[in-house]
Amino acid sequence: MNNGVLFAICTLIWGSTWIAITYQIGHTAETLAVAWRYTLAALCLGLFCAVRGLPFKLPLHIHIKMAGVGFFLYCLNYTLLYMAQAHIISALLALMSSSIIYFNVVLRRWWLKQPIRLEVVVGATLGLAGIVCMFVPEFSKVSMDAALAAGVSIAFVSFFSASIGNVISERILTSGTPVIQMNFYAMSYAMVMLYITAWVTNETLVVPTAPEFYISLLYLALFGSVLAFGSYMKLLKQIGADKAAYVVLVYPIVALVISTFFEGYTWSWLSVLGVVVVLVGNAIAMGKVPMFMRRPPLSG
């Protein structure tokens, strides 16, 4: 599957999961909601491996790294993201999510000894400007208070944690570990960690009664986790964690399109400009603009 298709799958699915996550908030503890999501996802991946006869045996050092992905990307990142979304608006989260790209660039350079690619930095900066244009009206509704400050802090920790998970994933995948098995184990480890966390912190088990909770849970598990993360990991393996992370700047466009039909979002010339800037930034980040195609990376 080529990179364009993988990128499209991630953006289309994750552009809709922002809405799905809102139906998970307030029904039960965030830790349990995320645990149930990865329980379903891990069961699906494990069943797929068993039916297809895919090997489950992997070296111990790969298991340790997969546990790291489970903790940082699937456990800590999503638990904190659910918590942050209860305190701040989605527009602000979309803007802050752009920090993942910068975190990935720095961590790849420091940890994997990969060069800093100028096109990614320039593209990410344009994408950040585009997100600001798209959500300017929403930012006017934001007023700083203790809850917002807490939400912003939680969100930044979430995105930094996601970046650590991204870089560990790239290291695992480029060593030859198959995507499906890696996601199966990483999500399984995350599931166990989340249940242990819920038990240690004495989370009250509240069984939601709202049908929309379970509908959104199925969508998040099967599409948001199994399909989208499977596509994202293949993309990450093929183009690197820095370029793959540009997905986080494109899927807010999908979210706005969905919001237009379901929430009455009104487009302005500024939001249209923002979309154009994000797409131009994406073209630059992916090396599609001639002046960035053969430019040597920054090696520091």
Side-chain angles (χ1 to χ4, degrees):
M1 195 175 292
N2 66 50
N3 295 339
V5 174
L6 294 171
F7 197 94
I9 291 172
C10 295
T11 54
L12 290 173
I13 293 177
W14 284 340
S16 60
T17 54
W18 288 96
I19 294 177
I21 288 176
T22 62
Y23 293 108
Q24 298 281 289
I25 306 299
H27 292 281
T28 190
E30 289 86 357
T31 305
L32 290 173
V34 181
W36 294 339
R37 172 177 175 174
Y38 286 117
T39 298
L40 288 175
L43 285 173
C44 289
L45 289 170
L47 182 62
F48 180 84
C49 290
V51 171
R52 295 292 298 272
L54 301 179
F56 283 96
K57 188 175 181 180
L58 293 170
L60 177 60
H61 70 94
I62 295 295
H63 274 278
I64 294 172
K65 293 182 180 71
M66 291 187 299
V69 174
F71 176 72
F72 287 108
L73 182 58
Y74 295 137
C75 179
L76 186 59
N77 169 38
Y78 271 90
T79 301
L80 294 177
L81 186 63
Y82 278 42
M83 293 172 63
Q85 194 155 343
H87 295 288
I88 58 181
I89 62 174
S90 296
L92 190 54
L93 271 178
L95 177 64
M96 294 174 63
S97 68
S98 64
S99 64
I100 292 178
I101 302 178
Y102 297 103
F103 288 144
N104 281 5
V105 167
V106 174
L107 288 177
R108 287 181 86 243
R109 173 61 184 155
W110 172 69
W111 197 349
L112 303 183
K113 309 304 179 186
Q114 295 293 329
I116 296 173
R117 294 189 272 200
L118 179 63
E119 67 270 22
V120 176
V121 177
V122 173
T125 303
L126 277 176
L128 176 61
I131 292 291
V132 171
C133 292
M134 288 162 56
F135 291 108
V136 161
E138 297 298 316
F139 295 141
S140 64
K141 302 174 186 177
V142 176
S143 58
M144 181 58 70
D145 57 22
L148 178 64
V152 168
S153 300
I154 291 169
F156 267 124
V157 176
S158 167
F159 296 133
F160 183 66
S161 175
S163 184
I164 294 174
N166 278 195
V167 176
I168 298 175
S169 297
E170 182 176 352
R171 187 168 186 175
I172 295 171
L173 294 171
T174 52
S175 70
T177 304
V179 169
I180 294 175
Q181 288 94 315
M182 192 205 78
N183 270 342
F184 164 70
Y185 280 115
M187 291 181 186
S188 297
Y189 285 129
M191 172 190 72
V192 172
M193 293 173 191
L194 287 162
Y195 283 126
I196 291 174
T197 300
W199 177 65
V200 170
T201 57
N202 292 316
E203 294 282 7
T204 303
L205 176 60
V206 177
V207 180
T209 57
E212 59 266 25
F213 176 88
Y214 296 101
I215 294 171
S216 61
L217 179 64
L218 283 172
Y219 183 75
L220 289 167
L222 301 181
F223 289 89
S225 296
V226 174
L227 183 55
F229 262 114
S231 299
Y232 180 74
M233 289 302 175
K234 287 185 179 180
L235 190 65
L236 184 150
K237 179 179 181 179
Q238 291 169 189
I239 66 176
D242 53 348
K243 288 189 175 184
Y246 206 92
V247 167
V248 304
L249 289 178
V250 177
Y251 67 68
I253 298 174
V254 177
L256 285 186
V257 173
I258 293 173
S259 180
T260 302
F261 292 100
F262 293 96
E263 299 176 334
Y265 176 81
T266 303
W267 289 80
S268 65
W269 69 267
L270 198 57
S271 55
V272 173
L273 174 63
V275 170
V276 173
V277 173
V278 169
L279 295 179
V280 170
N282 182 61
I284 292 174
M286 298 304 160
K288 302 298 183 182
V289 177
M291 67 179 292
F292 290 96
M293 289 179 67
R294 287 182 169 80
R295 199 174 186 93
L298 303 178
S299 58

mmCIF file of all heavy atoms in Angstrom, residues 32-69:
data_model
loop_
_atom_site.group_PDB
_atom_site.id
_atom_site.type_symbol
_atom_site.label_atom_id
_atom_site.label_comp_id
_atom_site.label_asym_id
_atom_site.label_seq_id
_atom_site.Cartn_x
_atom_site.Cartn_y
_atom_site.Cartn_z
ATOM 1 N N LEU A 32 -10.308 3.531 32.330
ATOM 2 C CA LEU A 32 -11.085 2.355 31.947
ATOM 3 C C LEU A 32 -11.592 2.467 30.513
ATOM 4 O O LEU A 32 -11.614 1.471 29.785
ATOM 5 C CB LEU A 32 -12.255 2.166 32.910
ATOM 6 C CG LEU A 32 -11.880 1.729 34.325
ATOM 7 C CD1 LEU A 32 -13.104 1.745 35.237
ATOM 8 C CD2 LEU A 32 -11.268 0.326 34.299
ATOM 9 N N ALA A 33 -11.989 3.662 30.102
ATOM 10 C CA ALA A 33 -12.474 3.851 28.737
ATOM 11 C C ALA A 33 -11.377 3.508 27.728
ATOM 12 O O ALA A 33 -11.627 2.826 26.716
ATOM 13 C CB ALA A 33 -12.940 5.298 28.529
ATOM 14 N N VAL A 34 -10.151 3.954 28.009
ATOM 15 C CA VAL A 34 -9.031 3.653 27.118
ATOM 16 C C VAL A 34 -8.680 2.167 27.198
ATOM 17 O O VAL A 34 -8.373 1.526 26.179
ATOM 18 C CB VAL A 34 -7.798 4.509 27.466
ATOM 19 C CG1 VAL A 34 -6.646 4.193 26.521
ATOM 20 C CG2 VAL A 34 -8.136 5.988 27.383
ATOM 21 N N ALA A 35 -8.756 1.579 28.398
ATOM 22 C CA ALA A 35 -8.454 0.152 28.568
ATOM 23 C C ALA A 35 -9.410 -0.705 27.746
ATOM 24 O O ALA A 35 -8.995 -1.666 27.085
ATOM 25 C CB ALA A 35 -8.536 -0.230 30.049
ATOM 26 N N TRP A 36 -10.698 -0.385 27.778
ATOM 27 C CA TRP A 36 -11.679 -1.146 27.002
ATOM 28 C C TRP A 36 -11.415 -0.999 25.503
ATOM 29 O O TRP A 36 -11.574 -1.937 24.739
ATOM 30 C CB TRP A 36 -13.095 -0.681 27.346
ATOM 31 C CG TRP A 36 -13.484 -1.000 28.754
ATOM 32 C CD1 TRP A 36 -12.919 -1.949 29.567
ATOM 33 C CD2 TRP A 36 -14.497 -0.372 29.535
ATOM 34 N NE1 TRP A 36 -13.518 -1.943 30.799
ATOM 35 C CE2 TRP A 36 -14.498 -0.991 30.818
ATOM 36 C CE3 TRP A 36 -15.404 0.651 29.306
ATOM 37 C CZ2 TRP A 36 -15.375 -0.618 31.828
ATOM 38 C CZ3 TRP A 36 -16.286 1.025 30.304
ATOM 39 C CH2 TRP A 36 -16.274 0.393 31.557
ATOM 40 N N ARG A 37 -11.016 0.194 25.105
ATOM 41 C CA ARG A 37 -10.694 0.431 23.688
ATOM 42 C C ARG A 37 -9.574 -0.483 23.225
ATOM 43 O O ARG A 37 -9.677 -1.126 22.170
ATOM 44 C CB ARG A 37 -10.307 1.897 23.493
ATOM 45 C CG ARG A 37 -9.772 2.232 22.113
ATOM 46 C CD ARG A 37 -9.481 3.727 21.987
ATOM 47 N NE ARG A 37 -8.859 4.045 20.693
ATOM 48 C CZ ARG A 37 -8.614 5.287 20.269
ATOM 49 N NH1 ARG A 37 -8.951 6.315 21.041
ATOM 50 N NH2 ARG A 37 -8.066 5.497 19.097
ATOM 51 N N TYR A 38 -8.506 -0.594 24.018
ATOM 52 C CA TYR A 38 -7.374 -1.405 23.597
ATOM 53 C C TYR A 38 -7.593 -2.888 23.847
ATOM 54 O O TYR A 38 -6.939 -3.728 23.215
ATOM 55 C CB TYR A 38 -6.092 -0.894 24.250
ATOM 56 C CG TYR A 38 -5.661 0.393 23.604
ATOM 57 C CD1 TYR A 38 -5.598 1.574 24.331
ATOM 58 C CD2 TYR A 38 -5.377 0.439 22.241
ATOM 59 C CE1 TYR A 38 -5.255 2.768 23.720
ATOM 60 C CE2 TYR A 38 -5.033 1.627 21.632
ATOM 61 C CZ TYR A 38 -4.967 2.789 22.369
ATOM 62 O OH TYR A 38 -4.639 3.963 21.753
ATOM 63 N N THR A 39 -8.507 -3.234 24.723
ATOM 64 C CA THR A 39 -8.879 -4.634 24.888
ATOM 65 C C THR A 39 -9.504 -5.146 23.597
ATOM 66 O O THR A 39 -9.142 -6.213 23.082
ATOM 67 C CB THR A 39 -9.868 -4.805 26.052
ATOM 68 O OG1 THR A 39 -9.240 -4.385 27.272
ATOM 69 C CG2 THR A 39 -10.295 -6.260 26.190
ATOM 70 N N LEU A 40 -10.457 -4.380 23.065
ATOM 71 C CA LEU A 40 -11.114 -4.766 21.811
ATOM 72 C C LEU A 40 -10.116 -4.789 20.655
ATOM 73 O O LEU A 40 -10.113 -5.714 19.834
ATOM 74 C CB LEU A 40 -12.250 -3.789 21.496
ATOM 75 C CG LEU A 40 -13.497 -3.874 22.371
ATOM 76 C CD1 LEU A 40 -14.470 -2.759 22.014
ATOM 77 C CD2 LEU A 40 -14.173 -5.233 22.200
ATOM 78 N N ALA A 41 -9.260 -3.758 20.595
ATOM 79 C CA ALA A 41 -8.287 -3.679 19.506
ATOM 80 C C ALA A 41 -7.306 -4.852 19.551
ATOM 81 O O ALA A 41 -7.015 -5.478 18.520
ATOM 82 C CB ALA A 41 -7.536 -2.350 19.578
ATOM 83 N N ALA A 42 -6.792 -5.162 20.752
ATOM 84 C CA ALA A 42 -5.828 -6.257 20.893
ATOM 85 C C ALA A 42 -6.471 -7.605 20.554
ATOM 86 O O ALA A 42 -5.838 -8.462 19.920
ATOM 87 C CB ALA A 42 -5.265 -6.278 22.315
ATOM 88 N N LEU A 43 -7.718 -7.796 20.956
ATOM 89 C CA LEU A 43 -8.424 -9.041 20.625
ATOM 90 C C LEU A 43 -8.556 -9.215 19.118
ATOM 91 O O LEU A 43 -8.343 -10.307 18.582
ATOM 92 C CB LEU A 43 -9.803 -9.051 21.282
ATOM 93 C CG LEU A 43 -9.843 -9.325 22.786
ATOM 94 C CD1 LEU A 43 -11.258 -9.122 23.329
ATOM 95 C CD2 LEU A 43 -9.366 -10.747 23.084
ATOM 96 N N CYS A 44 -8.891 -8.132 18.429
ATOM 97 C CA CYS A 44 -9.036 -8.192 16.964
ATOM 98 C C CYS A 44 -7.694 -8.515 16.294
ATOM 99 O O CYS A 44 -7.625 -9.366 15.397
ATOM 100 C CB CYS A 44 -9.565 -6.858 16.435
ATOM 101 S SG CYS A 44 -11.284 -6.543 16.840
ATOM 102 N N LEU A 45 -6.631 -7.847 16.729
ATOM 103 C CA LEU A 45 -5.317 -8.084 16.141
ATOM 104 C C LEU A 45 -4.802 -9.497 16.446
ATOM 105 O O LEU A 45 -4.226 -10.160 15.583
ATOM 106 C CB LEU A 45 -4.323 -7.042 16.650
ATOM 107 C CG LEU A 45 -4.527 -5.612 16.123
ATOM 108 C CD1 LEU A 45 -3.644 -4.634 16.887
ATOM 109 C CD2 LEU A 45 -4.223 -5.542 14.637
ATOM 110 N N GLY A 46 -5.023 -9.946 17.687
ATOM 111 C CA GLY A 46 -4.592 -11.295 18.063
ATOM 112 C C GLY A 46 -5.335 -12.362 17.275
ATOM 113 O O GLY A 46 -4.731 -13.346 16.816
ATOM 114 N N LEU A 47 -6.640 -12.165 17.082
ATOM 115 C CA LEU A 47 -7.439 -13.115 16.304
ATOM 116 C C LEU A 47 -6.978 -13.133 14.848
ATOM 117 O O LEU A 47 -6.868 -14.204 14.232
ATOM 118 C CB LEU A 47 -8.919 -12.730 16.394
ATOM 119 C CG LEU A 47 -9.907 -13.654 15.669
ATOM 120 C CD1 LEU A 47 -9.841 -15.054 16.270
ATOM 121 C CD2 LEU A 47 -11.325 -13.096 15.771
ATOM 122 N N PHE A 48 -6.672 -11.962 14.311
ATOM 123 C CA PHE A 48 -6.196 -11.878 12.929
ATOM 124 C C PHE A 48 -4.882 -12.634 12.775
ATOM 125 O O PHE A 48 -4.700 -13.390 11.807
ATOM 126 C CB PHE A 48 -5.999 -10.409 12.533
ATOM 127 C CG PHE A 48 -5.520 -10.210 11.128
ATOM 128 C CD1 PHE A 48 -6.409 -10.193 10.067
ATOM 129 C CD2 PHE A 48 -4.161 -10.034 10.858
ATOM 130 C CE1 PHE A 48 -5.969 -10.020 8.760
ATOM 131 C CE2 PHE A 48 -3.710 -9.859 9.557
ATOM 132 C CZ PHE A 48 -4.618 -9.849 8.507
ATOM 133 N N CYS A 49 -3.970 -12.446 13.717
ATOM 134 C CA CYS A 49 -2.682 -13.152 13.662
ATOM 135 C C CYS A 49 -2.875 -14.662 13.732
ATOM 136 O O CYS A 49 -2.221 -15.424 12.998
ATOM 137 C CB CYS A 49 -1.773 -12.694 14.804
ATOM 138 S SG CYS A 49 -1.151 -11.014 14.641
ATOM 139 N N ALA A 50 -3.783 -15.106 14.610
ATOM 140 C CA ALA A 50 -4.021 -16.535 14.780
ATOM 141 C C ALA A 50 -4.634 -17.150 13.518
ATOM 142 O O ALA A 50 -4.215 -18.222 13.074
ATOM 143 C CB ALA A 50 -4.937 -16.768 15.977
ATOM 144 N N VAL A 51 -5.606 -16.465 12.931
ATOM 145 C CA VAL A 51 -6.279 -16.974 11.733
ATOM 146 C C VAL A 51 -5.323 -17.017 10.544
ATOM 147 O O VAL A 51 -5.325 -17.978 9.762
ATOM 148 C CB VAL A 51 -7.519 -16.102 11.396
ATOM 149 C CG1 VAL A 51 -8.086 -16.482 10.030
ATOM 150 C CG2 VAL A 51 -8.586 -16.266 12.470
ATOM 151 N N ARG A 52 -4.478 -15.986 10.420
ATOM 152 C CA ARG A 52 -3.544 -15.917 9.293
ATOM 153 C C ARG A 52 -2.260 -16.703 9.540
ATOM 154 O O ARG A 52 -1.424 -16.819 8.642
ATOM 155 C CB ARG A 52 -3.189 -14.449 9.003
ATOM 156 C CG ARG A 52 -4.351 -13.604 8.523
ATOM 157 C CD ARG A 52 -4.819 -14.033 7.133
ATOM 158 N NE ARG A 52 -3.767 -13.853 6.158
ATOM 159 C CZ ARG A 52 -3.567 -12.725 5.483
ATOM 160 N NH1 ARG A 52 -4.356 -11.680 5.682
ATOM 161 N NH2 ARG A 52 -2.594 -12.636 4.595
ATOM 162 N N GLY A 53 -2.112 -17.235 10.749
ATOM 163 C CA GLY A 53 -0.918 -18.009 11.065
ATOM 164 C C GLY A 53 0.337 -17.166 11.183
ATOM 165 O O GLY A 53 1.449 -17.648 10.930
ATOM 166 N N LEU A 54 0.188 -15.920 11.584
ATOM 167 C CA LEU A 54 1.340 -15.031 11.733
ATOM 168 C C LEU A 54 2.085 -15.370 13.025
ATOM 169 O O LEU A 54 1.456 -15.648 14.051
ATOM 170 C CB LEU A 54 0.888 -13.565 11.759
ATOM 171 C CG LEU A 54 0.125 -13.077 10.518
ATOM 172 C CD1 LEU A 54 -0.283 -11.624 10.686
ATOM 173 C CD2 LEU A 54 0.959 -13.254 9.259
ATOM 174 N N PRO A 55 3.400 -15.346 13.018
ATOM 175 C CA PRO A 55 4.175 -15.738 14.206
ATOM 176 C C PRO A 55 4.036 -14.739 15.353
ATOM 177 O O PRO A 55 4.056 -13.527 15.133
ATOM 178 C CB PRO A 55 5.611 -15.778 13.691
ATOM 179 C CG PRO A 55 5.622 -14.852 12.511
ATOM 180 C CD PRO A 55 4.273 -14.984 11.881
ATOM 181 N N PHE A 56 3.886 -15.280 16.559
ATOM 182 C CA PHE A 56 3.777 -14.432 17.747
ATOM 183 C C PHE A 56 5.124 -14.270 18.453
ATOM 184 O O PHE A 56 5.299 -13.346 19.236
ATOM 185 C CB PHE A 56 2.781 -15.037 18.744
ATOM 186 C CG PHE A 56 1.334 -14.833 18.365
ATOM 187 C CD1 PHE A 56 0.647 -15.821 17.679
ATOM 188 C CD2 PHE A 56 0.667 -13.668 18.700
ATOM 189 C CE1 PHE A 56 -0.687 -15.649 17.340
ATOM 190 C CE2 PHE A 56 -0.666 -13.472 18.366
ATOM 191 C CZ PHE A 56 -1.346 -14.471 17.673
ATOM 192 N N LYS A 57 6.058 -15.173 18.190
ATOM 193 C CA LYS A 57 7.321 -15.172 18.916
ATOM 194 C C LYS A 57 8.240 -14.060 18.430
ATOM 195 O O LYS A 57 8.541 -13.953 17.251
ATOM 196 C CB LYS A 57 8.021 -16.530 18.749
ATOM 197 C CG LYS A 57 9.246 -16.686 19.639
ATOM 198 C CD LYS A 57 9.826 -18.087 19.530
ATOM 199 C CE LYS A 57 11.035 -18.252 20.443
ATOM 200 N NZ LYS A 57 11.613 -19.616 20.353
ATOM 201 N N LEU A 58 8.682 -13.234 19.375
ATOM 202 C CA LEU A 58 9.597 -12.140 19.076
ATOM 203 C C LEU A 58 10.661 -12.079 20.172
ATOM 204 O O LEU A 58 10.412 -12.514 21.302
ATOM 205 C CB LEU A 58 8.843 -10.808 19.002
ATOM 206 C CG LEU A 58 7.858 -10.639 17.835
ATOM 207 C CD1 LEU A 58 7.005 -9.389 18.035
ATOM 208 C CD2 LEU A 58 8.597 -10.577 16.505
ATOM 209 N N PRO A 59 11.846 -11.516 19.885
ATOM 210 C CA PRO A 59 12.920 -11.444 20.888
ATOM 211 C C PRO A 59 12.531 -10.607 22.108
ATOM 212 O O PRO A 59 11.690 -9.698 22.006
ATOM 213 C CB PRO A 59 14.071 -10.782 20.123
ATOM 214 C CG PRO A 59 13.766 -10.996 18.682
ATOM 215 C CD PRO A 59 12.271 -10.995 18.568
ATOM 216 N N LEU A 60 13.169 -10.905 23.235
ATOM 217 C CA LEU A 60 12.873 -10.218 24.486
ATOM 218 C C LEU A 60 13.103 -8.706 24.374
ATOM 219 O O LEU A 60 12.298 -7.909 24.862
ATOM 220 C CB LEU A 60 13.722 -10.787 25.622
ATOM 221 C CG LEU A 60 13.578 -10.109 26.986
ATOM 222 C CD1 LEU A 60 12.130 -10.195 27.486
ATOM 223 C CD2 LEU A 60 14.543 -10.717 27.992
ATOM 224 N N HIS A 61 14.197 -8.303 23.703
ATOM 225 C CA HIS A 61 14.490 -6.866 23.628
ATOM 226 C C HIS A 61 13.426 -6.122 22.813
ATOM 227 O O HIS A 61 13.151 -4.955 23.062
ATOM 228 C CB HIS A 61 15.894 -6.638 23.044
ATOM 229 C CG HIS A 61 16.028 -6.957 21.583
ATOM 230 N ND1 HIS A 61 15.882 -6.004 20.603
ATOM 231 C CD2 HIS A 61 16.294 -8.132 20.954
ATOM 232 C CE1 HIS A 61 16.055 -6.569 19.411
ATOM 233 N NE2 HIS A 61 16.310 -7.856 19.595
ATOM 234 N N ILE A 62 12.796 -6.833 21.860
ATOM 235 C CA ILE A 62 11.699 -6.220 21.100
ATOM 236 C C ILE A 62 10.459 -6.096 21.989
ATOM 237 O O ILE A 62 9.740 -5.096 21.934
ATOM 238 C CB ILE A 62 11.379 -7.044 19.840
ATOM 239 C CG1 ILE A 62 12.571 -7.019 18.880
ATOM 240 C CG2 ILE A 62 10.129 -6.509 19.149
ATOM 241 C CD1 ILE A 62 12.882 -5.648 18.309
ATOM 242 N N HIS A 63 10.232 -7.086 22.833
ATOM 243 C CA HIS A 63 9.097 -7.022 23.769
ATOM 244 C C HIS A 63 9.250 -5.830 24.722
ATOM 245 O O HIS A 63 8.271 -5.146 25.044
ATOM 246 C CB HIS A 63 8.983 -8.321 24.567
ATOM 247 C CG HIS A 63 8.195 -9.373 23.861
ATOM 248 N ND1 HIS A 63 6.824 -9.424 23.867
ATOM 249 C CD2 HIS A 63 8.612 -10.430 23.102
ATOM 250 C CE1 HIS A 63 6.403 -10.464 23.165
ATOM 251 N NE2 HIS A 63 7.461 -11.094 22.689
ATOM 252 N N ILE A 64 10.473 -5.594 25.179
ATOM 253 C CA ILE A 64 10.714 -4.457 26.078
ATOM 254 C C ILE A 64 10.387 -3.148 25.364
ATOM 255 O O ILE A 64 9.728 -2.263 25.927
ATOM 256 C CB ILE A 64 12.176 -4.461 26.575
ATOM 257 C CG1 ILE A 64 12.425 -5.689 27.463
ATOM 258 C CG2 ILE A 64 12.488 -3.168 27.333
ATOM 259 C CD1 ILE A 64 13.872 -5.888 27.844
ATOM 260 N N LYS A 65 10.807 -3.038 24.115
ATOM 261 C CA LYS A 65 10.513 -1.826 23.344
ATOM 262 C C LYS A 65 9.021 -1.711 23.062
ATOM 263 O O LYS A 65 8.441 -0.609 23.121
ATOM 264 C CB LYS A 65 11.305 -1.827 22.033
ATOM 265 C CG LYS A 65 12.817 -1.702 22.212
ATOM 266 C CD LYS A 65 13.506 -1.652 20.855
ATOM 267 C CE LYS A 65 15.025 -1.520 21.004
ATOM 268 N NZ LYS A 65 15.642 -2.763 21.502
ATOM 269 N N MET A 66 8.368 -2.820 22.754
ATOM 270 C CA MET A 66 6.923 -2.788 22.497
ATOM 271 C C MET A 66 6.156 -2.392 23.748
ATOM 272 O O MET A 66 5.132 -1.704 23.676
ATOM 273 C CB MET A 66 6.438 -4.137 21.963
ATOM 274 C CG MET A 66 6.940 -4.445 20.565
ATOM 275 S SD MET A 66 6.225 -5.937 19.818
ATOM 276 C CE MET A 66 6.768 -7.213 20.970
ATOM 277 N N ALA A 67 6.639 -2.822 24.900
ATOM 278 C CA ALA A 67 6.025 -2.392 26.156
ATOM 279 C C ALA A 67 6.172 -0.883 26.322
ATOM 280 O O ALA A 67 5.264 -0.205 26.832
ATOM 281 C CB ALA A 67 6.662 -3.118 27.333
ATOM 282 N N GLY A 68 7.317 -0.344 25.867
ATOM 283 C CA GLY A 68 7.517 1.105 25.898
ATOM 284 C C GLY A 68 6.519 1.823 25.004
ATOM 285 O O GLY A 68 5.960 2.857 25.375
ATOM 286 N N VAL A 69 6.284 1.283 23.804
ATOM 287 C CA VAL A 69 5.269 1.858 22.906
ATOM 288 C C VAL A 69 3.898 1.793 23.562
ATOM 289 O O VAL A 69 3.120 2.759 23.526
ATOM 290 C CB VAL A 69 5.254 1.109 21.550
ATOM 291 C CG1 VAL A 69 4.105 1.620 20.670
ATOM 292 C CG2 VAL A 69 6.581 1.284 20.830
#
